[in-house]
Amino acid sequence: MQTLPEAIQEKIDAFIKLCTPDDVVICNGSRKEYQGFLDKMESMGVATALKNEGCYYFRSDPKDVARVESCTFICSEKKEDAGPTNNHEDPKAMKERLNSLFSGCMVGRTMYVIPYLMGPPQNPMSKVGIEVTDSMYVCVNMYIMARMGEIALKRINEGADPVMGLHSVGMPLPDGKPDVHWPCNEEKVIAHFPETREIFSFGSGYGGNALLGKKCFALRIASTMAREEGWLAEHMLIIGVTNPEGQKKYFAAAFPSQCGKTNLAMIKPNLPGWKVECVGDDIAWMQFHDDGRLYAINPENGFFGVAPGTSEKTNPYAMEIIRKDTLFTNVALNGDSVWWEGMTDTVPDGLINWKGEKHDKESGEPASHPNARFTAPLSHCPNLDPATFSERGVPIEGIIFGGRRESTIPLVMEAKDWTQGTFYGATLSSEKTAAAEGKTGELRHDPFAMIPFCGYHMGDYFAHFLSQEKEGRQMPKVFSVNWFRKDQDGKFIWPGYGENMHALAWMFDAIEGVVEKKETAFGYLPKNLPIKVDGLQEILSIDEEEFGKEVAENKEYLKSTFGDRCPKALLS
Ligand code: OXD
Ligand code: MN
């Protein structure tokens, strides 16, 4: 039996009193425990074992398939501290609502207490959390995505203060009522209390709504901790790039959801002599050290990647990662293996779609949900960077901002200074995708790709980012990229994937100061790249008039959205 420090036990006792589960289990995070959960779910018909070793298939309720931003709240004491881009609720009012929602919500279920560590065990930047949940699906996903059990308990017992999270699928089972394959509730609430560093999530069992270590802790709560403590919690991948001479530089890159972040994190370069290694594909915690350099860690221990579109062509490393020990959710079943749109050119016969029905190829409906996911261990990544779990983190020399834009934004450009770089981040925008609810295709402003994930006022966030520039610090160079420009016929101009290495190599050499650049008021652009692509010069240039208009519109957006809390330096 595991024990917890008294103060933490008291909080858990309060959760038990509120949720009234039939049973309580403190997870030890062992492989045996993990396998036990999977076996149990398999016997219940919730998980399907697949042909590949350690691989399982899950299907969610069709009403629970993505993050629910409309039900996600920042409950800061003052409304203005949540800012105009978050839903705000008064903490007392929200606690009342939560008390009523959570009251008796675990009747007939077991409560699992998951102590977990975000970040490499040896790294002082790592942080602990406790997720209390009634979902075994959450337990097995947390096992992969975080470091769960003893490792975190040890830190907690040594005095680390965990971020507390209470999660329930919101479907009690009174009087022996039978369970359903994916319990959830029509009413969903994902509430964050930045001042007390607590998370309450009700009604959804899916992804970022339910795996509280990820978006809720590592971004929303961590961003508020980072602001207070002077570091950065960012929606960024981390990669190490090595040039043919063997020099290495690390980059962090922010892209809105479903813009190819995982693919870039695992890029197999199509440029002789260059190597890219992956530290993380979604979240970076970064801090300047005494040597004046910015160091980053990946707080996660796994990949929660979007499956559709992943193939041998788009992401061969991901295809290798998911060959074993992987959980698949909402993909299509293909006999005893899985399939999704984009995996192969032709759709196999006999698929079972993500809703559990025979797939009708003629229907025009996809067989997998567009936000179907794989959950797989970081350690399976064939190009995992050797410093991923280091005590110090990795030194970041370049920060990249990229969106999905059909026009205007060039393939790659370099900001002239940190302020212009912060402007690139603050004005990031992208055409909408399926990771969150809403209409796809619309242009959405997504500063720093953090709109759904910043735990406080974005205007203050910009100021915090700007304030990182200090005497004695080696500021990373900042870049903007866009792989998604289209020609007049609506076809993508840039081949993308492995060829994105050309842009990475240019950025690497720009940091080294060994490239030829075109100077514009808005940043530096490559004169050329050693690749044959129709329309290359078009995407290596900006139309200064069109770009100037975009900049003016962006300033208007920043002013009208963030008002006085938008730093003046971004508006001048
Ligand atoms: C994600 C997202 O799930 O950004 O990583 O939506
Ligand atoms: Mn993400």
Side-chain angles (χ1 to χ4, degrees):
M1 179 69 185
Q2 315 290 318
T3 55
L4 290 158
E6 206 175 314
I8 310 293
Q9 190 59 53
E10 273 172 19
K11 290 185 191 178
I12 297 193
D13 288 344
F15 290 163
I16 295 171
K17 202 165 153 220
L18 176 65
C19 305
T20 59
D22 284 13
D23 204 358
V24 180
V25 170
I26 299 182
C27 296
N28 62 23
S30 68
R31 176 88 202 183
K32 189 165 160 229
E33 178 186 74
Y34 168 75
Q35 192 56 51
F37 288 142
L38 288 168
D39 292 345
K40 179 90 194 285
M41 283 189 281
E42 195 185 356
S43 71
M44 290 159 68
V46 170
T48 305
L50 299 168
K51 175 179 67 188
N52 284 357
E53 185 191 332
C55 290
Y56 290 84
Y57 170 72
F58 297 85
R59 225 178 333 108
S60 82
D61 185 299
K63 293 187 292 302
D64 191 19
V65 292
R67 287 184 288 100
V68 281
E69 289 172 19
S70 56
C71 312
T72 300
F73 297 87
I74 300 297
C75 308
S76 47
E77 291 290 341
K78 289 197 206 127
K79 182 172 172 19
E80 62 267 28
D81 287 343
T85 54
N86 281 312
N87 301 312
H88 176 264
E89 182 55 275
D90 170 71
K92 270 208 203 78
M94 180 54 90
K95 280 277 165 79
E96 263 172 41
R97 181 172 172 202
L98 292 169
N99 273 334
S100 134
L101 282 174
F102 278 92
S103 174
C105 70
M106 294 188 190
V107 165
R109 296 192 183 276
T110 298
M111 172 188 274
Y112 302 96
V113 179
I114 307 175
Y116 64 96
L117 178 70
M118 298 304 287
Q122 311 306 332
N123 196 295
M125 283 190 72
S126 300
K127 307 228 170 315
V128 282
I130 292 183
E131 173 162 1
V132 175
T133 178
D134 54 8
S135 162
M136 254 192 275
Y137 172 82
V138 164
C139 295
V140 292
N141 277 269
M142 284 295 283
Y143 174 83
I144 294 177
M145 296 305 296
R147 283 104 176 151
M148 173 171 154
E150 303 287 356
I151 203 166
L153 270 183
K154 186 165 165 284
R155 285 243 187 158
I156 296 169
N157 282 315
E158 285 165 4
D161 198 12
V163 168
M164 296 299 292
L166 177 60
H167 167 256
S168 173
V169 293
M171 189 187 270
L173 299 171
D175 310 321
K177 185 176 157 194
D179 208 351
V180 295
H181 91 276
W182 185 276
C184 59
N185 195 303
E186 292 276 333
E187 186 171 358
K188 296 177 176 55
V189 183
I190 325 291
H192 306 72
F193 296 80
E195 280 106 358
T196 49
R197 297 179 180 176
E198 296 167 290
I199 305 157
F200 289 81
S201 167
F202 181 89
S204 165
Y206 201 81
N209 298 332
L211 313 177
L212 302 187
K214 194 174 177 62
K215 305 298 189 181
C216 299
F217 178 176
L219 287 174
R220 297 194 191 98
I221 295 291
S223 62
T224 63
M225 295 165 93
R227 182 183 174 215
E228 270 172 50
E229 297 164 8
W231 51 282
L232 298 166
E234 301 296 329
H235 190 203
M236 291 183 183
L237 63 85
I238 308 165
I239 46 177
V241 179
T242 306
N243 73 2
E245 286 72 47
Q247 280 174 293
K248 187 162 194 178
K249 294 187 190 302
Y250 288 94
F251 289 81
F255 292 77
S257 304
Q258 292 192 339
C259 287
K261 222 151 103 239
T262 301
N263 291 350
L264 183 62
M266 297 174 192
I267 182 177
K268 203 167 187 174
N270 228 349
L271 194 59
W274 289 82
K275 185 162 86 179
V276 179
E277 288 159 301
C278 172
V279 178
D281 78 327
D282 197 38
I283 300 175
W285 287 354
M286 304 195 282
Q287 183 165 29
F288 280 92
H289 285 189
D290 291 346
D291 63 358
R293 307 177 82 189
L294 181 65
Y295 286 83
I297 61 166
N298 172 8
E300 300 191 279
N301 202 25
F303 301 107
F304 184 65
V306 176
T310 308
S311 69
E312 289 299 340
K313 176 174 166 257
T314 62
N315 195 336
Y317 289 144
M319 295 305 282
E320 215 170 310
I321 291 168
I322 61 176
R323 229 164 262 153
K324 59 175 187 173
D325 300 325
T326 300
L327 311 177
F328 297 93
T329 310
N330 285 349
V331 299
L333 252 190
N334 182 17
D336 55 5
S337 62
V338 289
W339 187 86
W340 48 75
E341 275 63 30
M343 183 194 271
T344 51
D345 289 339
T346 51
V347 184
D349 290 326
L351 292 177
I352 303 293
N353 71 15
W354 69 277
K355 293 180 182 158
E357 302 151 349
K358 276 192 183 150
H359 179 54
D360 175 3
K361 286 198 206 182
E362 310 308 317
S363 68
E365 293 289 315
S368 65
H369 187 276
N371 193 35
R373 299 281 179 150
F374 57 80
T375 317
L378 200 59
S379 59
H380 283 15
C381 186
N383 70 335
L384 192 71
D385 191 86
T388 301
F389 306 122
S390 85
E391 281 172 33
R392 209 164 160 69
V394 298
I396 300 294
E397 293 187 59
I399 293 180
I400 303 170
F401 294 108
R404 176 185 287 272
R405 295 291 306 271
E406 289 183 10
S407 66
T408 318
I409 310 297
L411 179 72
V412 54
M413 69 196 289
E414 179 194 339
K416 292 178 160 177
D417 55 30
W418 186 252
T419 304
Q420 190 169 55
T422 307
F423 185 79
Y424 284 3
T427 58
L428 196 58
S429 59
S430 197
E431 283 122 25
K432 219 163 169 175
T433 67
E437 327 149 280
K439 207 165 140 233
T440 54
E442 269 168 35
L443 192 69
R444 177 198 213 200
H445 283 282
D446 193 355
F448 288 80
M450 280 290 277
I451 282 284
F453 308 121
C454 185
Y456 61 100
H457 196 299
M458 278 304 289
D460 297 344
Y461 170 96
F462 301 153
H464 179 58
F465 200 85
L466 273 174
S467 78
Q468 295 301 307
E469 187 176 30
K470 290 197 171 89
E471 270 296 307
R473 287 186 172 176
Q474 289 175 43
M475 301 312 291
K477 295 266 188 231
V478 184
F479 301 90
S480 149
V481 301
N482 176 23
W483 318 136
F484 300 96
R485 280 284 287 274
K486 287 190 174 165
D487 64 15
Q488 277 148 347
D489 303 327
K491 282 219 217 58
F492 288 114
I493 297 175
W494 181 246
Y497 307 113
E499 308 295 357
N500 291 338
M501 187 63 233
H502 282 273
L504 281 176
W506 186 82
M507 291 185 265
F508 187 111
D509 289 341
I511 297 169
E512 279 293 289
V514 296
V515 285
E516 283 197 285
K517 302 171 183 175
K518 294 185 281 201
E519 182 170 357
T520 74
F522 308 110
Y524 303 112
L525 291 120
K527 279 218 161 127
N528 207 352
L529 290 179
I531 179 174
K532 262 210 161 92
V533 165
D534 286 342
L536 182 64
Q537 273 312 321
E538 192 186 329
I539 59 172
L540 294 186
S541 311
I542 52 175
D543 173 335
E544 294 221 20
E545 205 184 309
E546 182 195 31
F547 205 92
K549 246 170 127 185
E550 161 110 6
V551 166
E553 273 165 23
N554 274 323
K555 286 184 180 167
E556 210 33 64
Y557 157 74
L558 292 177
K559 234 187 285 175
S560 62
T561 313
F562 305 107
D564 287 349
R565 277 165 103 148
C566 182
K568 298 273 174 301
L570 300 183
L571 302 174
S572 56

